[in-house]
Amino acid sequence: MITTDMNSGLNYLLNTPLLSSLNECERETFKKKSHLKEFDAGHSIVEQGDFNTQVFFILKGTAHVLNYSESGRAITYAALTDGDMFGEMAAIDGLPRSAWVCSITNCKVIYLPGTDFIELVTGNPNMALAVLKKLSFNLRLSDERLTDISLLGAEQRVCIELIRMAQPDLANPGSHVILEMPTQVNLASMVGSSRETISRIFGRLKNDAIITRFGRGYRIPSRERLKQRAFT
């Protein structure tokens, strides 16, 4: 059960699009059935091949969804952060985990047993629709990345990925930020390139003031300039 000191984070989670349709009774069930767990950076939250069906929600932190090639190279598929859900596929189809999920920063997550998650989904059509939209978004994003790799150059793919990760900078209207930037190795695997190529691209983008360093991430002063760089 979630302890009282996590109430603010849990309330934030219950107001995300995935869970906002839950009624008061369902919200109480969610709180009672959920469990809190913390992971230091660099730990596995979910391991490929596991048969458990827990569904996870990130309260705080950043994690990556990845797999490993036959040579042992990590290939990152997605970055997850506050409010994101993962692990729902195993709860839905009962099959083994299809990928690894590893903490990039310290992560606080809550998890819900798969049977309880399915009970909530099947009892609430709006939540079921939200889960379907999330699965559809993931599929579309995978298709877009495959298309990008086939048709676009490395710098264009990097710029598009930066656009996807950026969020409005509330302190500086008009600019955007990426608060937790993946490592260059992880970004390279996301866009189908090499770390050396990513390093050169970032050097050019910084020299042209399209991105600037911001804590553990980057600030994008003009999203339009980044878009122009991506599509020219």
Side-chain angles (χ1 to χ4, degrees):
M1 184 184 296
I2 298 299
T3 56
T4 54
D5 64 327
M6 294 306 298
N7 277 342
S8 60
L10 189 56
N11 288 335
Y12 158 76
L13 190 62
L14 288 168
N15 286 305
T16 59
L18 278 168
L19 301 174
S20 61
S21 66
L22 297 181
N23 59 39
E24 286 304 315
C25 181
E26 291 166 333
R27 285 171 178 247
E28 287 305 311
T29 297
F30 186 91
K31 291 179 180 180
K32 290 177 181 178
K33 299 290 187 178
S34 296
H35 303 267
L36 173 67
K37 197 163 187 180
E38 299 187 32
F39 295 87
D40 293 332
H43 281 66
S44 296
I45 302 174
V46 166
E47 296 188 3
Q48 185 189 46
D50 279 356
F51 278 91
N52 65 69
T53 60
Q54 298 160 346
V55 179
F56 296 82
F57 301 83
I58 298 181
L59 289 178
K60 188 68 176 177
T62 300
H64 282 178
V65 182
L66 54 87
N67 257 317
Y68 291 92
S69 67
E70 291 185 1
S71 65
R73 178 189 175 198
I75 302 172
T76 302
Y77 293 103
L80 305 169
T81 188
D82 301 4
D84 284 336
M85 175 182 74
F86 61 94
E88 72 280 2
M89 287 175 57
I92 292 169
D93 60 23
L95 296 176
R97 300 290 190 185
S98 61
W100 298 71
V101 179
C102 297
S103 56
I104 301 303
T105 66
N106 293 343
C107 284
K108 290 183 179 180
V109 304
I110 66 167
Y111 64 88
L112 191 68
T115 52
D116 294 313
F117 173 78
I118 293 299
E119 187 175 332
L120 283 173
V121 170
T122 55
N124 187 313
N126 290 325
M127 181 179 175
L129 181 59
V131 171
L132 286 173
K133 287 181 177 179
K134 191 256 188 188
L135 293 172
S136 178
F137 172 81
N138 291 347
L139 182 58
R140 287 178 182 274
L141 184 57
S142 295
D143 288 345
E144 287 176 7
R145 283 180 172 147
L146 286 173
T147 300
D148 291 346
I149 291 172
S150 300
L151 302 178
L152 302 176
E155 184 167 310
Q156 290 176 298
R157 300 198 301 271
V158 168
C159 291
I160 290 172
E161 200 61 45
L162 294 178
I163 291 169
R164 289 182 180 131
M165 290 188 288
Q167 55 186 292
D169 183 359
L170 300 180
N172 295 280
S175 68
H176 288 68
V177 291
I178 300 171
L179 297 177
E180 292 284 348
M181 190 70 195
T183 65
Q184 290 186 353
V185 171
N186 284 330
L187 183 59
S189 66
M190 291 170 74
V191 301
S193 188
S194 66
R195 186 199 63 77
E196 293 77 15
T197 298
I198 298 299
S199 179
R200 289 193 294 269
I201 291 170
F202 267 62
R204 293 195 294 267
L205 294 177
K206 286 188 284 188
N207 287 340
D208 294 340
I210 293 175
I211 60 174
T212 59
R213 195 70 190 176
F214 177 71
R216 298 177 62 137
Y218 283 89
R219 174 173 280 118
I220 301 168
S222 171
R223 196 167 184 266
E224 286 304 312
R225 286 191 67 205
L226 181 59
K227 288 173 66 176
Q228 289 173 6
R229 190 70 165 252
F231 298 108
T232 57

